[in-house]
Amino acid sequence: MFAALMLALAVQTTPDPAKAEVAAVLDQLNVASAAADADAYFALYTADARFVGTDAGEHWTIAELRAYATPYFNEGNGWSYPATERTITIAPIECRCIAWFEEQLTNDSYGRTRGSGVMRLTADGWKIEQYVLSLAIPNDLASPIARIIKTYEAAGEDPAP
């Protein structure tokens, strides 16, 4: 009985290697973007990945994101969004090859933000299929901010393409 209890505790406290690998990719993403290392940054995505940014017009293929970001990276201008909290779920399917995540991030300009997305295990390791970066707006501020955006869009400043 004691041995079974200890085995059960060991299984519960043993870190999931797949979750650790996914977390490592997300950490590498921030390191590469902060270092303005385009090759390392874009190597973490699948060829058909999507990136959804904070602006309403930022719903990009990975090729579109590369075209946007490369000039900034070439000038040494990256961005840093280190995670302060993260939840990773490995899909409960036999291959254990799909993961989704959500993370709380911090950024010098935007403060607290969120990242979420989907990753797939490929022959080259875990790769990001979709990444969504969003602003964490407190509920008490959501309505006033929504009104500002409506006014901005009504004035012809619609950020959506």
Side-chain angles (χ1 to χ4, degrees), residues 32-102:
S33 63
D37 185 343
D39 290 338
Y41 181 81
F42 290 106
L44 300 171
Y45 291 90
T46 63
D48 59 349
R50 302 290 300 187
F51 183 92
V52 180
T54 58
D55 186 277
E58 295 176 342
H59 191 255
W60 295 329
T61 65
I62 203 61
E64 292 167 334
L65 178 62
R66 182 186 285 270
Y68 168 80
T70 296
Y72 293 99
F73 282 175
N74 287 345
E75 293 176 0
N77 298 320
W79 51 83
S80 180
Y81 289 85
T84 58
E85 286 185 39
R86 182 180 287 147
T87 301
I88 297 168
T89 302
I90 305 298
I93 54 179
E94 187 175 333
C95 67
R96 294 182 50 79
C97 57
I98 302 292
W100 54 91
F101 62 89
E102 65 89 13

Side-chain angles (χ1 to χ4, degrees), residues 12 40-41 47 50 91 94 102 117 129 132 137 142 148-149 153:
Q12 289 178 351
Y41 181 81
R50 302 290 300 187
E94 187 175 333
E102 65 89 13
E129 289 273 358
V132 179
I137 300 171
I148 292 168
I149 293 168
E153 290 174 347

Side-chain angles (χ1 to χ4, degrees), residues 75-147:
E75 293 176 0
N77 298 320
W79 51 83
S80 180
Y81 289 85
T84 58
E85 286 185 39
R86 182 180 287 147
T87 301
I88 297 168
T89 302
I90 305 298
I93 54 179
E94 187 175 333
C95 67
R96 294 182 50 79
C97 57
I98 302 292
W100 54 91
F101 62 89
E102 65 89 13
E103 51 187 0
Q104 290 187 28
L105 310 168
T106 186
N107 176 268
D108 288 342
S109 296
Y110 293 141
R112 188 171 22 163
T113 60
R114 289 191 178 140
S116 62
V118 177
M119 295 177 71
R120 177 171 47 93
L121 184 58
T122 71
D124 296 321
W126 286 97
K127 301 289 181 179
I128 300 165
E129 289 273 358
Q130 177 178 308
Y131 193 96
V132 179
L133 178 63
S134 58
L135 299 176
I137 300 171
N139 286 339
D140 289 346
L141 299 177
S143 290
I145 290 171
R147 283 192 296 275

